Amino acid sequence: MTLNQLTAHEAINLIKKKRITAYEIMQDIFSQIDKVDNLIKAFLVINREEALKQAKEIDKKVKNGEKLPPLAGVAVAIKDIIATRGTETTCGSKILKGFIPPYNATVINRLREAGAIIIGKTNMDEFAMGSSTENSAFGPTYNPWDLERVPGGSSGGSSAAVAADETFVALGTDTGGSIRQPASLCGMVGLKPTYGRVSRYGLVAYASSLDQIGPIAKDVTDCALVMKVISGHDNMDSTSVNLEVPDYLKSCQEGIKDLKVGVPKEYFIEGIDPEVKGALDKALKIFEKLGAKIEEVSLPHTEYSLPTYYLIATAEASSNLARYDGVQYGYRAEEYEDLSSMYQKTRSEGFGSEVKRRIMLGTYALSSGYYDAYYLKAQKVRTLIKEDFDKVFNKYDILITPTSPTPAFKLNEKVSDPLTMYLSDIYTIPINLAGIPAISLNCGYSKSNLPIGLQIIGKHFSEETILRAAFNFEQNNDVEKKKPSIKPAKHKEAKK
Ligand code: GLN
């Protein structure tokens, strides 16, 4: 076994005990990246030199007997939508090619202060719009479990990197499922925090009222460790909430006998893969065995989530993306006649087709005469969806659902049909509309050896409870945990 295959908490303990050094870990991390990333294409930028230098600094601290910060020596990969000072941040878009932020996002500063080592930036759907990472201007990322399949999206680079042991943990962002769905499709653990729990300062905005940053990790413990570091109030983000951050790891140690679990009937609709349904039924039995009380519940407005999301998210995106005009950031068209043709050409050449589709949809929904019919109405339905959750959470502590209706799908399977692609997030989108937290973790594998994910949803600011439920399940799940074998796709091998 090489050191990159450890979990973050295992690595931290071994460094503390002086059994291994942070430098040795980094060497194994980068040799794995060298070995597999030409197949997976999870990374857009790799910070090798800087990372090795930081590892040496950690080792010096160990040698001098200094107290180590909580994530000392932990390799972290960052979705390329989070600003990193001095390192290119493209959001997977040609329009931001060459953009080097002059400042760090708050989460980056917090990770660095905690001793984490930022090893690189990961691929993503352009501006986080997508569910497969096929919308990146820099080419797709491939799922380590089957290189002919997508890793999910939009944080597909982050989840594939963790699954392929190219990093210990990664940060993703989730506007409608982009942490949980790729975590599910890659067999990892991913948490979307409550809106306001983690600072969005330095996160390039897609849909500001829905976006949250969160961790993708190999297990629940690592997820809890990273959450503790990145959470908490930040003066730079007026929507970040001033609430104490609990010790997530400690609460994981408690059982779940006290938990009342709701299973929303609207989530078991036509289109759900029978293997996903089967894995979920088995998982629910384990929760029952652990003493949780499980009952069916109803979230009656679920069917309106998708249209509501695609009105609100596109409206906010059309406004947020107006700033990419060739003047302030990144790309500018080479040939143009006057100012307005410069804007037009820059945006036509710089944005990909999914981003353009959404800017057009959003601009339409916000235009005068249509605002009340679409945007305002969507906001009202959003309130109804949130109230559905408020009602069930009066009686239940958590909800359990699948994360994605199917395991990983093939590349090109859904690109030509945006509506089918949008359905990939049917179970994750309502959670962002309500602003509540949810975690996805592996609960089994399909017959063709693809991971299947389970989603645990909680009340506002109940990350402690969903992490505890997830940890108890992880410890008692009788499906043996597997690692992907990362075999080149058959047809590609044949071509060689
Ligand atoms: N797939 C959804 C979308 O394309 C969600 C993306 C996200 O969470 N960033 O909007």
Side-chain angles (χ1 to χ4, degrees):
M1 181 177 167
T2 46
L3 300 177
N4 57 304
Q5 290 175 302
L6 296 170
T7 60
H9 59 93
E10 287 165 345
I12 294 169
N13 286 335
L14 291 170
I15 294 175
K16 273 193 192 147
K17 286 188 193 144
K18 300 190 181 170
R19 299 257 303 276
I20 55 177
T21 63
Y23 192 79
E24 286 166 341
I25 294 180
M26 279 307 138
Q27 280 181 319
D28 280 2
I29 291 272
F30 288 115
S31 76
Q32 177 73 352
I33 292 177
D34 291 340
K35 204 165 111 198
V36 302
D37 209 57
N38 60 335
L39 296 170
I40 301 200
K41 304 211 182 299
F43 284 90
L44 293 176
V45 177
I46 292 167
N47 284 338
R48 193 182 307 247
E49 266 172 45
E50 187 57 30
L52 288 169
K53 207 171 99 198
Q54 285 165 9
K56 276 189 185 156
E57 283 161 22
I58 303 271
D59 291 333
K60 215 188 268 164
K61 281 194 178 150
V62 178
K63 219 169 146 197
N64 296 340
E66 283 174 50
K67 191 173 174 317
L68 292 181
L71 295 179
V74 172
V76 186
I78 306 289
K79 185 177 183 180
D80 204 28
I81 194 166
I82 299 174
T84 39
R85 184 174 49 226
T87 302
E88 191 181 27
T89 300
T90 64
C91 299
S93 181
K94 185 176 164 191
I95 213 155
L96 277 175
K97 187 88 198 95
F99 170 61
I100 297 184
Y103 69 101
N104 273 335
T106 298
V107 289
I108 300 293
N109 286 335
R110 289 193 176 162
L111 284 170
R112 291 286 305 117
E113 278 156 27
I117 298 176
I118 312 287
I119 59 165
K121 306 292 295 279
T122 56
N123 197 18
M124 55 180 284
D125 285 300
E126 187 175 4
F127 286 102
M129 297 175 187
S131 311
S132 66
T133 316
E134 291 167 290
N135 294 338
S136 166
F138 309 110
T141 294
Y142 301 85
N143 191 319
W145 292 87
D146 177 347
L147 297 171
E148 291 189 351
R149 291 176 190 267
V150 303
S154 62
S155 315
S158 285
S159 66
V162 181
D165 287 320
E166 295 177 87
T167 180
F168 289 133
V169 289
L171 290 188
T173 64
D174 193 313
T175 304
S178 280
I179 289 175
R180 292 160 286 156
Q181 185 258 12
S184 171
L185 270 43
C186 292
M188 297 294 108
V189 181
L191 190 148
K192 197 254 352 148
T194 309
Y195 187 80
R197 178 55 101 186
V198 176
S199 168
R200 289 182 296 114
Y201 179 69
L203 163 61
V204 179
Y206 159 19
S208 318
S209 77
L210 302 158
D211 301 338
Q212 268 290 290
I213 300 174
I216 297 177
K218 296 182 195 178
D219 68 5
V220 177
T221 305
D222 282 1
C223 190
L225 267 173
V226 176
M227 263 308 284
K228 173 83 185 154
V229 167
I230 61 172
S231 299
H233 182 246
D234 176 17
N235 282 333
M236 302 301 279
D237 172 6
S238 59
T239 62
S240 88
V241 172
N242 202 347
L243 265 183
E244 206 189 313
V245 179
D247 185 344
Y248 297 121
L249 266 187
K250 200 164 146 215
S251 49
C252 284
Q253 300 308 320
E254 291 158 31
I256 56 165
K257 278 203 179 68
D258 60 315
L259 290 189
K260 284 196 79 178
V261 178
V263 179
K265 63 171 187 228
E266 289 81 3
Y267 282 54
F268 293 86
I269 38 141
E270 223 181 292
I272 176 168
D273 186 307
E275 290 196 274
V276 172
K277 166 101 178 39
L280 201 87
D281 289 342
K282 268 175 79 186
L284 286 171
K285 295 228 169 68
I286 294 176
F287 280 96
E288 214 157 27
K289 234 170 61 194
L290 295 172
K293 314 245 163 350
I294 299 176
E295 281 170 31
E296 187 180 271
V297 298
S298 172
L299 299 165
H301 296 94
T302 300
E303 63 174 305
Y304 305 110
S305 300
L306 223 54
T308 304
Y309 172 84
Y310 276 99
L311 281 167
I312 294 176
T314 56
E316 292 183 15
S318 81
S319 156
N320 278 326
L321 271 58
R323 72 190 71 169
Y324 307 107
D325 55 5
V327 178
Q328 303 183 66
Y329 313 92
Y331 180 78
R332 176 185 296 178
E334 275 172 19
E335 285 169 35
Y336 47 86
E337 289 95 55
D338 52 17
L339 185 63
S340 92
S341 97
M342 191 278 282
Y343 289 156
Q344 246 179 44
K345 286 204 168 144
T346 297
R347 288 169 68 84
S348 310
E349 292 164 18
F351 287 134
S353 55
E354 184 61 27
V355 173
K356 285 180 190 157
R357 174 164 30 242
R358 294 192 189 199
I359 292 175
M360 284 192 282
L361 268 171
T363 307
Y364 182 80
L366 288 177
S367 55
S368 96
Y370 294 105
Y371 182 92
D372 288 5
Y374 294 115
Y375 187 69
L376 193 65
K377 195 159 191 185
Q379 289 292 15
K380 289 180 179 166
V381 181
R382 180 177 187 175
T383 303
L384 294 175
I385 292 167
K386 180 185 166 287
E387 285 172 357
D388 278 358
F389 284 105
D390 291 346
K391 271 184 213 143
V392 294
F393 282 132
N394 279 331
K395 268 184 79 185
Y396 298 87
D397 302 290
I398 55 171
L399 303 178
I400 296 182
T401 74
T403 307
S404 157
T406 64
F409 44 93
K410 292 222 159 123
L411 276 115
N412 296 319
E413 196 179 313
K414 302 190 180 181
V415 263
S416 55
D417 184 356
L419 287 183
T420 328
M421 186 73 93
Y422 295 173
L423 282 174
S424 313
D425 301 309
I426 188 137
Y427 301 139
T428 49
I429 274 174
I431 284 73
N432 300 70
L433 289 170
I436 50 185
I439 188 168
S440 175
L441 77 161
N442 183 257
C443 66
Y445 304 88
S446 71
K447 284 196 203 81
S448 43
N449 205 32
L450 296 171
I452 296 172
L454 149 95
Q455 175 173 237
I456 305 175
I457 310 165
K459 305 174 195 180
H460 287 96
F461 300 102
S462 71
E463 283 82 0
E464 220 176 339
T465 313
I466 58 173
L467 281 162
R468 167 159 66 100
F471 182 81
N472 276 271
F473 173 74
E474 185 183 65
Q475 297 299 309
N476 292 283
N477 185 9
D478 44 18
V479 182
E480 203 193 325
K481 218 172 166 179
K482 301 182 190 178
K483 289 240 185 222
S485 56
I486 317 181
K487 281 197 218 91
K490 281 190 198 90
H491 68 270
K492 283 197 186 145
E493 229 172 8
K495 262 194 220 155
K496 269 189 192 164

